[in-house]
């Protein structure tokens, strides 16, 4: 459930008509609902009730400082995957002990910054990374708490570009080699083993792959404990999917996911961390755009919007479906016609939907892309020198610009011309 509903014939974000935001900020613009973000975070938090747990928001899905502050205020930790994300989490006021550091290619500088600023744990993904972390930590006379990310060789049955748990991906340490790598970790100075980490993919719409992975982690916990390791903490990753359209299969609810966690690893007495991103932020945001032109082609009609692939790349990159809805509520039973919905970028791939059935629209009308809160603004670019898309946060009847649209001058000012030119 989200808080984007038609009221008085107008799509609203909570109590604010989207047309009011478009008038004030212009389009394209991302709009987020605080109530939806908080609701989704709490669903996870409550689903793990009874377990010692921390829900670490995968901020790669949506990393605006205001959103981080909102979620951290409700008790969220953060899952970060770069020095930049670590810096953002700290700038939003998240204490180091609530930040976990994931990612396959952490640099020595990133390790140093996290050790200095405080970190709950590093989720280490390879032996070379483990050795680098040991060197960095000992060089600082520090001790780095770690889990090893194991790759359980489970098929997440999701889009191949977002599946991470199969043996042939770059992620984690093969679970079959976990014992020897844990043994090395235990010997290395500056390293303190605290648990195990696993993450098998994103947009999972079925619990079975989670179940298979978590059962393997539970078995591994017993084996590693018997080897003498302290396994007090299990980081079970993120990945629970969301419905992108009403006609889609309905993914499992966080309560069912929480019950699965309790069933598979609850008996081990470990502290449990999860790293959901999409389910917290996805349906809490939409991309608001305007119709520039309606263009009749030979074979098809085009709806040309002022939002483009640089603002929302998911359709071009993953063939992702986003519901695209008019802000003015269509009359019931109104006749719909098929449109190719495209942006103004000079690429054939700048297409959001083919033959999408839309109610009558005119130039200047507002159109919203639903479920765009996750992996929307964070994946935006300035391709075609289109300034980075701004972001707005709504709370009840108030809204604030939480990232403003850069001016052309600001965008251009980042370039420098060498003196020899
Ligand atoms: N933890 C780790 C280690 C991850 O790699 C990810 C996502 C998550 C947690 C959060 O997964 P979530 O709960 O959001 O599914 N750009 C793609 C998604 C890439 C996901 C990458 N990793 C998209 O737009 O669908």
């Amino acid at each position: 459930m989200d808080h984007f509903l038609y009221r008085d014939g107008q799509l609203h974000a909570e109590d604010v008509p989207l047309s009011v935001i478009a008038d004030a900020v212009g389009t394209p613009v991302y709009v987020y609902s605080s109530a939806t973000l908080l609701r989704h975070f709490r669903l996870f938090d409550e689903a793990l009730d009874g377990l010692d747990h921390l829900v670490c928001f995968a901020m790669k899905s949506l990393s605006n400082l205001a959103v981080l502050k909102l979620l951290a205020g409700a008790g969220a930790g953060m899952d970060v995957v770069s020095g930049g994300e670590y810096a953002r989490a700290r700038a939003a006021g998240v204490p180091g002990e609530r930040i976990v550091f994931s990612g396959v290619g952490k640099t020595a500088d990133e390790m140093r910054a996290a050790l200095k600023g405080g970190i709950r744990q590093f989720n280490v993904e390879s032996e070379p990374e483990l050795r680098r972390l040991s060197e960095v930590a000992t060089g600082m006379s520090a001790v780095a708490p770690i889990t090893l990310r194991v790759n359980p060789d489970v098929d997440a049955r999701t889009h191949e570009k977002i599946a991470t748990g199969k043996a042939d991906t770059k992620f984690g340490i093969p679970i079959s080699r976990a014992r020897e790598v844990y043994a090395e970790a235990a010997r290395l100075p500056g390293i303190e083993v605290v648990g195990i980490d696993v993450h098998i993919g994103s947009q999972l719409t079925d619990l079975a792959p989670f179940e298979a992975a978590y059962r393997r982690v539970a078995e591994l916990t017993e084996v590693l404990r018997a080897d003498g390791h302290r396994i007090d903490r299990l980081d079970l990753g993120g990945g629970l999917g969301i419905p992108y359209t009403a006609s889609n299969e309905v993914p499992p609810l966080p309560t069912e996911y929480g019950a699965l966690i309790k069933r598979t690893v609850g008996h081990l007495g470990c502290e449990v961390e999860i790293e959901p991103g999409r389910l917290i932020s996805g349906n809490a945001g939409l991309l608001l755009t305007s119709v520039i032109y309606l263009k009749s082609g030979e074979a098809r009609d085009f709806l040309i919007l002022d939002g483009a692939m640089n603002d929302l790349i998911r359709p071009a990159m993953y063939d992702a479906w986003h519901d695209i809805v008019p802000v003015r509520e269509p009359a019931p039973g109104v006749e719909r016609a098929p449109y190719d919905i495209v942006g103004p970028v000079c690429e054939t791939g700048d297409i959001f939907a083919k033959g999408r059935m839309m109610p009558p629209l005119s130039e200047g009308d507002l159109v919203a892309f639903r479920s765009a809160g996750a992996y929307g603004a964070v994946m935006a670019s300035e391709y075609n020198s289109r300034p980075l898309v701004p972001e707005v946060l709504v709370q009840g009847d108030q809204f604030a610009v939480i990232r403003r649209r850069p001016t052309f001058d600001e965008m251009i000012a980042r370039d420098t011309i060498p003196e020899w030119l």
Side-chain angles (χ1 to χ4, degrees), residues 58 60 79 162 199 202 238-239 275-278 314 318 375 379:
K60 64 165 74 71
D79 168 41
I162 51 177
H199 171 80
S202 194
E275 302 169 350
R278 191 189 313 264
R314 302 193 69 259
Y318 314 110
Y375 308 107
M379 293 180 82

Side-chain angles (χ1 to χ4, degrees), residues 235-292:
D235 182 333
L236 299 175
L240 195 59
I242 61 171
Y244 273 95
T245 174
S247 60
N248 244 1
E249 69 178 301
V250 184
L253 298 170
T255 42
E256 301 170 74
Y257 176 67
L260 166 73
I261 289 177
K262 290 176 188 166
R263 202 162 65 235
T264 49
V265 304
H267 59 288
L268 296 166
C270 286
E271 183 182 5
V272 168
E273 294 162 356
I274 53 172
E275 302 169 350
R278 191 189 313 264
L279 204 143
I280 293 178
S281 54
N283 286 328
L286 50 74
L287 174 63
L288 184 59
T289 67
S290 308
V291 176
I292 307 180

Side-chain angles (χ1 to χ4, degrees), residues 58-339:
M59 56 177 278
K60 64 165 74 71
S61 70
L62 173 52
S63 58
N64 188 290
L65 284 199
V67 170
L68 303 185
K69 179 141 202 253
L70 176 77
L71 291 172
M78 296 294 152
D79 168 41
V80 309
V81 291
S82 71
E85 284 195 353
Y86 180 82
R88 275 183 178 275
R90 298 290 286 137
V94 184
E97 63 265 24
R98 278 205 264 146
I99 304 177
V100 301
F101 206 139
S102 302
V104 290
K106 302 174 199 77
T107 65
D109 280 347
E110 290 174 327
M111 293 168 176
R112 242 183 308 271
L115 282 169
K116 189 156 171 262
I119 191 80
R120 181 179 186 82
Q121 96 228 4
F122 293 92
N123 294 330
V124 173
E125 299 222 14
S126 67
E127 289 147 292
E129 183 194 338
L130 189 60
R131 292 171 201 141
R132 177 77 47 85
L133 184 58
S134 166
E135 278 162 29
V136 169
T138 44
M140 297 171 69
S141 305
V143 174
I146 66 130
T147 68
L148 290 177
R149 175 170 176 183
V150 293
N151 187 324
D153 195 16
V154 165
D155 184 353
R157 294 185 225 152
T158 181
H159 192 288
E160 63 165 324
K161 284 191 182 155
I162 51 177
T164 57
K166 282 291 286 173
D168 58 358
T169 66
K170 67 180 176 183
F171 298 101
I173 290 157
I175 199 160
S176 54
R177 294 199 46 240
R179 285 179 78 187
E180 61 182 285
V181 186
Y182 270 91
E184 175 170 5
R187 282 194 302 270
L188 283 171
I191 296 287
E192 184 194 10
V193 171
V194 297
I196 307 175
D197 172 46
V198 71
H199 171 80
I200 56 172
S202 194
Q203 185 54 18
L204 273 69
T205 50
D206 177 5
L207 286 182
F210 285 119
E211 172 137 21
Y214 296 170
R215 289 209 182 282
R216 282 178 204 177
V217 167
E219 280 165 28
L220 182 64
T221 303
E222 315 263 18
V223 171
L224 293 176
R225 281 178 172 169
D227 285 349
H229 300 287
R230 205 187 97 204
I231 305 295
D232 291 343
R233 195 180 286 172
L234 300 178
D235 182 333
L236 299 175
L240 195 59
I242 61 171
Y244 273 95
T245 174
S247 60
N248 244 1
E249 69 178 301
V250 184
L253 298 170
T255 42
E256 301 170 74
Y257 176 67
L260 166 73
I261 289 177
K262 290 176 188 166
R263 202 162 65 235
T264 49
V265 304
H267 59 288
L268 296 166
C270 286
E271 183 182 5
V272 168
E273 294 162 356
I274 53 172
E275 302 169 350
R278 191 189 313 264
L279 204 143
I280 293 178
S281 54
N283 286 328
L286 50 74
L287 174 63
L288 184 59
T289 67
S290 308
V291 176
I292 307 180
Y293 298 119
L294 291 150
K295 173 174 169 177
S296 297
E298 291 230 313
R300 46 217 314 143
D301 291 333
F302 295 96
L303 199 58
I304 304 177
L305 305 179
D306 64 359
M309 65 188 292
N310 70 297
D311 305 308
L312 177 65
I313 202 167
R314 302 193 69 259
M317 193 154 169
Y318 314 110
D319 296 319
W321 173 288
H322 286 266
D323 279 347
I324 305 172
V325 298
V327 166
R328 195 169 8 92
E329 187 170 19
V334 74
E335 202 171 320
R336 291 171 188 258
Y339 284 97

